[in-house]
Structure formats: structure tokens, C-alpha cells
Amino acid sequence: MYSYENYNKVREAIDARRQNSRALSEERSEEMRAKSPEIARLDEELRGTGLLIFKTACRGEDIEPIRRRNRELVERRRAIIAEMGYPQDYTDVKYVCEKCMDTGFIDTRMCSCFKELLVTENIKSSGMGRLIEEQSFENFKLEHYAADADAYAKMKANLAIAKAYADGFGNRYKGRNLLLIGKTGTGKTHVSTSIAKVVISKGYDVIYESAQNIISDFESDKFRGGYGASEPKGDKYLECDLLIVDDLGAEFVNQFTVACLYNLFNTRRNRGLSTIVSTNLTAEEISSRYDDRICSRILGSDYSVLFFAGKDYRLFGRR
């Protein structure tokens, strides 16, 4: 579900949190020891109690007296810190997430803080961070289509299908695809973004990119020089859980681009990965522009086709 790269980024961020919290605690402890010989003495004794508890337990002896002494030392230390005018917990380790103590896991299960950071990282890497902040199912306004009864009915049905697709992603909609057909500004991007927002919140890896940029990345991989260790740019499009291909048809069509698109759609289909394709082309224009291999993929049974109607959706906000 989670991309290896994003998982590692979050893992490193949480590890850094824990290290920073512990470093601050030790820095403040050093400050207190420098100001109070008594705290320095207490810390020295406290450092020895952990090893003493371990040795005592190994001998099968009662460790409760040592624990009791340890608690007394901690309370005395806190009292001295308070007498010096500092909060009693001034030197305590203060974790960003107290539930998991900045480990990212609770009893081997991923903590909510880890999941939240993964969602944030997945949004960043999706290519639609700003759009996800601004667009969702909740603020998709069907009333914009109210003047046209047919367009309203069609968009209401599209929205219901899109919501069901997003809610069921990873379950009954695993490997299912959508083709969004409609003129510029009829709501295709808003619906795509809304689906992505829900799918990402479930922890899936989503990428949103134009057909033109996707082909450009594959082209870069094919013709890059043999020197250096640059990572392939196109692999992510073949591996992410959901790929949203925007503006199919705006790219320059030649033998190479057609081969790229066929490989993209076919590979994702064979791997059981989901794809959403958005285009301003009509079904007839798709059939005339691309060969049968591509048309059979995106106009066949592999894709549910949603036709978008109405006037330019983006112009409503200017009225």
C-alpha cells in the first residue's frame, strides 16, 4: 500500500523526532547538573540503578527495594529542579507523540501519528497537494448543473459512482478503472481529486500526472545516457496503487508515445492496479487517434466510462 520511498521518509522523520526529544532532555539535564552538584550526584546514582536491577533480577533476588530507592531519587531530583525555579519535568523527554513515544508503533502496530505522516507524504508525492486541499466530494456543487436537467442527472450519477469507487478502493474496486470524458471545465479534475483524497487517506499510493509528462518521463528513461546512477522516472507510474492520467489526447502522438501508453495501461492491468484516465476527447476521437490496442483497453470492459456534461465548471465561481 505505502510506497517504499514515502515509508522510509516517515520512518526517518519519526526517528529524528525521538532523537531530538532525547537530545533536548540530555541538554537540559547537563544544564541542571552544572548548576546543582546535588542533581549531579543523584544522576550518578540513578545511572547505576538500571544495571543493579538487572543483576539483582538475574540472581533471583527481590528488586522492589531498588525500585523504591529509584523512585525516591527521581522525586528528590524533581523537587530540587522546582526549587531552582524550573518546571519539575524540565529535563523529562517530551515526545511529539506520547502514545508511541516517537517510535511510530504501539505493540508492533502502526501508530496513528505514523499513518498521518504517511498520508501527508502520499499527498505530497501524488502531484496534487494543492488540489487536494481545495477540492473534495464535500465541496463539489451539483447545483452548478441545475439549469440543465440532463447534465444534472448525469453529474449526479457520476458523483455517486465516483464516491462508491473511492469508498470501495482496495476492496471490491481493486484493479477497477475509470475513464472520465468531457469538455474542459466540466468537473473531471474535481472528481479525480476527490477520489484521490479518499484513496490516499486509506494509505494507498496515488500519482496524478498529465499524459504528456508521463510520456516525457518514459522518454527520459529510454534515452538517458549510460553514465550515472539516476533513478528511472517512469517506474512509479507502473507501480503506484492508483494512477490518474490527466488530459489524455493533449500529448503529441507518434509511434513512441502510443507504445508508451499501451505499455502503461497493459502493465497496470496485468498487475491488477487501478487507473483513472481523464480526457477532453470524445469516444470517437479516442478511437480515431489511437490504435486498437489502446482503445480496447480504455474503451473496453476494463474501464467504466463517465461522461461529463454542462458548461465550464470553473466559470461558476466568477459569477
Side-chain angles (χ1 to χ4, degrees):
M1 283 173 63
Y2 306 107
S3 75
Y4 181 76
E5 182 180 357
N6 287 349
Y7 182 93
N8 280 345
K9 284 183 180 179
V10 174
R11 173 80 272 171
E12 291 171 2
I14 288 182
D15 286 346
R17 279 182 177 180
R18 186 172 65 256
Q19 292 169 12
N20 290 339
S21 296
R22 290 180 174 178
L24 178 60
S25 170
E26 182 55 31
E27 180 182 318
R28 289 181 170 181
S29 292
E30 286 288 350
E31 177 189 354
M32 293 296 97
R33 286 192 285 270
K35 292 181 177 180
S36 170
E38 178 66 6
I39 288 181
R41 185 190 66 78
L42 291 172
D43 282 359
E44 184 66 27
E45 186 172 349
L46 281 166
R47 276 194 288 269
T49 56
L51 180 59
L52 184 59
I53 288 174
F54 176 76
K55 290 181 177 179
T56 303
C58 288
R59 293 196 298 267
E61 299 173 1
D62 185 14
I63 62 174
E64 186 53 36
I66 306 173
R67 285 181 171 171
R68 187 164 53 247
R69 174 57 179 167
N70 186 280
R71 289 193 293 269
E72 291 172 356
L73 294 172
V74 170
E75 288 305 313
R76 175 56 185 155
R77 186 181 187 276
R78 292 169 70 86
I80 295 172
I81 290 174
E83 290 169 4
M84 295 169 65
Y86 294 89
Q88 283 191 344
D89 64 351
Y90 182 67
T91 65
D92 291 358
V93 179
K94 296 178 179 64
Y95 296 107
V96 175
C97 180
E98 293 292 343
K99 291 183 296 183
C100 68
M101 295 188 291
D102 289 347
T103 63
F105 292 86
I106 302 175
D107 297 330
T108 72
R109 300 191 64 173
M110 191 181 291
C111 181
S112 60
C113 72
F114 201 114
K115 292 179 181 178
E116 289 169 5
L117 286 176
L118 271 174
V119 168
T120 300
E121 202 59 49
N122 282 348
I123 289 174
K124 290 179 182 177
S125 65
S126 71
M128 54 196 319
R130 182 184 60 80
L131 289 176
I132 284 180
E133 292 176 3
E134 299 174 354
Q135 300 178 341
S136 66
F137 284 125
E138 289 70 28
N139 63 19
F140 189 95
K141 301 186 184 302
L142 275 173
E143 58 264 32
H144 290 331
Y145 305 90
D148 184 333
D150 289 339
Y152 182 88
K154 187 171 292 184
M155 291 309 300
K156 185 177 181 180
N158 286 347
L159 201 60
I161 293 171
K163 285 180 178 179
Y165 181 91
D167 291 339
F169 193 90
N171 188 8
R172 63 184 182 279
Y173 286 96
K174 180 178 174 60
R176 296 281 294 277
N177 311 302
L178 297 177
L179 173 61
L180 314 185
I181 294 179
K183 295 179 181 178
T184 299
T186 50
K188 301 188 301 298
T189 298
H190 196 138
V191 168
S192 297
T193 303
S194 301
I195 293 173
K197 188 170 188 175
V198 174
V199 173
I200 288 174
S201 72
K202 293 182 175 187
Y204 290 98
D205 187 22
V206 178
I207 292 178
Y208 174 99
E209 191 56 87
S210 69
Q212 186 173 352
N213 286 344
I214 290 172
I215 290 171
S216 177
D217 283 341
F218 280 122
E219 186 176 28
S220 176
D221 290 342
K222 182 176 178 62
F223 298 109
R224 63 181 172 167
Y227 298 98
S230 59
E231 291 292 327
K233 295 181 178 181
D235 285 358
K236 59 182 179 288
Y237 304 123
L238 303 174
E239 299 168 352
C240 60
D241 299 306
L242 174 61
L243 174 65
I244 301 176
V245 182
D246 186 42
D247 211 10
L248 181 73
E251 77 286 352
F252 179 74
V253 176
N254 57 28
Q255 187 175 357
F256 175 79
T257 60
V258 169
C260 281
L261 289 172
Y262 175 74
N263 178 62
L264 175 69
F265 296 139
N266 195 56
T267 299
R268 292 188 60 79
R269 177 199 187 201
N270 292 341
R271 292 179 177 179
L273 298 171
S274 299
T275 308
I276 296 175
V277 177
S278 176
T279 181
N280 297 337
L281 301 176
T282 65
E284 292 75 17
E285 288 170 334
I286 292 174
S287 297
S288 62
R289 186 179 180 87
Y290 301 103
D291 65 22
D292 291 342
R293 296 180 304 162
I294 293 178
C295 291
S296 67
R297 290 290 177 267
I298 62 176
L299 292 176
S301 59
D302 287 348
Y303 282 73
S304 297
V305 182
L306 306 185
F307 293 96
F308 284 65
K311 297 180 181 180
D312 194 330
Y313 183 88
R314 294 170 297 185
L315 297 179
F316 286 105
R318 300 174 192 170
R319 294 179 180 177

